[in-house]
Amino acid sequence: MKTSSKKTRISTQIVNVNGVKIGGDHFTVIAGPCSIENPNQFLTTAEGVKASGAVLLRGGIWKLRTSPSTFQGLGSESFDFIREVCRKTGLGLVSEITDIRQMEELHDVVDMFQVGSRNMHNYALLKELGKINKPILLKRGFAALIEEWIKAAEYITNGGNNQVVLCERGIRTFETATRNTLDLNAVAYVKRATSLPVIVDPSHAVGISELVPDMALAAAASGADGIIVEVHPKPEEALSDGQQALTLENFSTMMQKLNRMLLALDHPLQTFSSPEMSL
Ligand code: PEP
Ligand code: MN
């Protein structure tokens, strides 16, 4: 009997974001601020996370905040400097589309559209995203059943866009000590129930920066295809989600641990020198 550990990995569809593959033999790390706040904050974060091994950038342009009186994102006034940061670093951008009406203007700025937890049930949006040629990161609704999440993905794939990555970001349970409860059962489950890659967002799941690295390692152990993590050069000054953001230093330390663990799991970190990287 062949004992190649590759056999234990479940084959998934591979989603290509700006040359970076999500799914398959490598573990992909996406990192960046919760919100894009200004040119300096975004560039410093982008350069820092890239130096530690992130291959894609995250950052909110329009934010869906629980309170309407909190920072809602810079919106289109940030497009020019965002393009500049992506060009300078060579990193593709994952950012949330919060409304169908943003589709056209975001198209040339964002490499992967994130559908946030609050919009997982927005079927009109999902149907429109099914018609376009752009990868989609579909977060699980914080109160969605796994089955509802899978069906939400079908709203996109049924339209012809099969470039979909699922993201477990924690669900609401009776527990209030942490922001949400990270459902790693769901990762193992959907890896078998669908052919789509699955990543984990430990930041929104746990909501406490000190606990994020442990949950990132747990995500890797659960068989996830990657993680998306919030990082800020000065978390105490962040305009959103500072309490769960890693500093650049803590992100670097986490990446070193993750790298060692992924090697032991025979699921190495994707880097810009991975053979299949087409950049
Ligand atoms: C985010 O990624 O910043 C975000 C708002 O995530 P979620 O939709 O999972 O709450
Ligand atoms: Mn956030």
Side-chain angles (χ1 to χ4, degrees):
M1 193 179 90
K2 255 184 126 186
T3 54
S4 160
S5 53
K6 288 247 157 51
K7 282 223 174 319
T8 64
R9 299 251 340 127
I10 302 158
S11 70
T12 60
Q13 171 160 349
I14 292 174
V15 173
N16 185 330
V17 186
N18 196 33
V20 171
K21 313 286 194 298
I22 306 180
D25 289 340
H26 287 79
F27 188 90
T28 306
V29 176
I30 307 168
C34 177
S35 299
I36 296 171
E37 299 172 3
N38 57 64
N40 185 43
Q41 170 250 15
F42 194 43
L43 180 63
T44 307
T45 313
E47 286 176 337
V49 297
K50 184 181 181 188
S52 298
V55 286
L56 287 169
L57 200 49
R58 66 148 285 148
I61 298 171
W62 276 288
K63 301 298 299 176
L64 288 181
R65 307 295 305 283
T66 303
S67 166
S69 52
T70 55
F71 180 61
Q72 303 285 304
L74 291 180
S76 47
E77 71 179 67
S78 58
F79 286 178
D80 286 347
F81 80 75
I82 291 175
R83 282 200 192 91
E84 187 55 20
V85 168
C86 291
R87 192 196 57 75
K88 255 191 173 159
T89 57
L91 294 174
L93 178 65
V94 182
S95 191
E96 182 169 353
I97 176 165
T98 61
D99 189 303
I100 296 179
R101 290 166 291 189
Q102 294 158 0
M103 187 113 84
E104 242 182 74
E105 55 176 338
L106 275 182
H107 202 272
D108 296 333
V109 183
V110 173
D111 299 286
M112 179 182 223
F113 283 149
Q114 174 174 318
V115 176
S117 190
R118 290 157 189 80
N119 259 329
M120 189 210 84
H121 297 281
N122 184 342
Y123 301 128
L125 174 65
L126 301 179
K127 280 186 194 170
E128 286 304 308
L129 295 174
K131 296 180 196 161
I132 63 170
N133 182 21
K134 173 87 81 185
I136 310 295
L137 181 64
L138 178 63
K139 288 194 155 194
R140 180 180 180 183
F142 54 72
L145 296 176
I146 291 173
E147 213 43 50
E148 292 166 334
W149 185 26
I150 293 172
K151 292 276 194 305
E154 288 172 7
Y155 267 97
I156 305 171
T157 55
N158 283 354
N161 184 359
N162 59 7
Q163 294 280 294
V164 177
V165 175
L166 298 170
C167 178
E168 161 61 36
R169 48 77 75 204
I171 52 172
R172 186 170 282 179
T173 66
F174 56 80
E175 184 54 71
T176 56
T178 54
R179 183 173 183 177
N180 290 288
T181 296
L182 178 57
D183 182 9
L184 292 179
N185 295 355
V187 175
Y189 187 96
V190 291
K191 287 282 294 174
R192 288 160 180 82
T194 79
S195 59
L196 301 175
V198 186
I199 69 167
V200 167
D201 174 347
S203 307
H204 291 87
V206 69
I208 302 168
S209 59
E210 197 184 336
L211 308 186
V212 167
D214 285 347
M215 293 305 100
L217 297 183
S222 75
D225 293 290
I227 49 172
I228 179 165
V229 187
E230 288 186 345
V231 178
H232 196 287
K234 291 186 184 149
E236 66 286 358
E237 291 176 14
L239 298 181
S240 62
D241 285 350
Q243 77 290 345
Q244 65 197 31
L246 296 180
T247 59
L248 288 165
E249 195 183 10
N250 289 341
F251 179 70
S252 165
T253 306
M254 181 193 84
M255 289 296 283
Q256 287 162 36
K257 276 192 193 166
L258 192 58
N259 192 28
R260 289 198 296 276
M261 186 173 151
L262 287 166
L263 288 175
L265 292 169
D266 197 20
H267 189 195
L269 201 59
Q270 185 173 184
T271 67
F272 283 110
S273 51
S274 299
E276 72 280 18
M277 186 77 88
S278 60
L279 270 179

